Amino acid sequence: MADTEASVAAGCLEKLKGYVKTRKGTILAAEILISFIILICYAASLYGGYSAVAICEMVFAIIFFVVFMMEMDKSIQVVNWVWSDLIRAAIGAALYLITSLICVIGGSGDGARIAGGVFGLLAGILFAYDAYTIFLVIKSTRQHTAAPTDDRV
């Protein structure tokens, strides 16, 4: 029993190592890491309410990381994972940019809030880059079918 658990854990670790080396895996791992850093900064700030964006985006990034790493997107066909990931990344970019600008502009005297805002601006750029790469994937895989040109009625 312990041998099978160890082999399953080793297989999962190998999938993790392999997926982090891909471009999408690296982007998702960076999103998780920067969201965690932002969460720490906002938690140390006088106004901890901005941490909700970091928590939500980190949880969503972890979910998509696990789904893509374990290749569950191929077995769970109910959800269109590419479009869901695009919407997640686009909303994350917008939310991080908006909340970060608010924190940087209005955070005088609160260094942790300003640091969280600066990291949030970087996260907004990272999430926007992720949305852009997903958009390119959608654009390249889109099928172009010719419209019928038959004039018969």
Side-chain angles (χ1 to χ4, degrees), residues 27-43 50-67 85 88-89 91-93 95-96 123 126-127:
I27 291 172
L28 282 171
E31 288 176 356
I32 294 167
L33 181 66
I34 199 162
S35 294
F36 185 68
I37 292 169
I38 293 166
L39 177 63
I40 291 171
C41 289
Y42 285 155
Y50 296 107
S51 61
V53 173
I55 291 171
C56 291
E57 291 303 325
M58 185 173 68
V59 168
F60 290 144
I62 289 171
I63 290 170
F64 277 87
F65 184 86
V66 170
V67 165
D85 195 26
R88 176 200 63 85
I91 290 173
L95 287 177
Y96 267 131
L126 179 64
F127 275 77

Side-chain angles (χ1 to χ4, degrees), residues 27-137:
I27 291 172
L28 282 171
E31 288 176 356
I32 294 167
L33 181 66
I34 199 162
S35 294
F36 185 68
I37 292 169
I38 293 166
L39 177 63
I40 291 171
C41 289
Y42 285 155
S45 139
L46 298 175
Y47 303 99
Y50 296 107
S51 61
V53 173
I55 291 171
C56 291
E57 291 303 325
M58 185 173 68
V59 168
F60 290 144
I62 289 171
I63 290 170
F64 277 87
F65 184 86
V66 170
V67 165
F68 290 141
M69 178 188 72
M70 301 301 288
E71 297 179 353
M72 286 191 260
D73 56 326
K74 294 174 179 62
S75 62
I76 302 173
Q77 298 288 325
V78 177
V79 177
N80 190 337
W81 291 103
V82 178
W83 279 97
S84 299
D85 195 26
L86 175 69
I87 292 168
R88 176 200 63 85
I91 290 173
L95 287 177
Y96 267 131
L97 290 174
I98 291 168
T99 57
S100 298
L101 286 173
I102 292 170
C103 287
V104 169
I105 292 170
S108 62
D110 191 0
R113 183 175 168 193
I114 293 173
V118 171
F119 281 117
L121 290 172
L122 294 174
I125 293 169
L126 179 64
F127 275 77
Y129 175 73
D130 190 16
Y132 175 71
T133 58
I134 298 165
F135 174 74
L136 291 179
V137 168

Side-chain angles (χ1 to χ4, degrees), residues 2-17:
D3 292 335
T4 59
E5 290 177 8
S7 65
V8 168
C12 187
L13 187 62
E14 290 301 318
K15 282 187 177 184
L16 175 68
K17 288 179 183 177

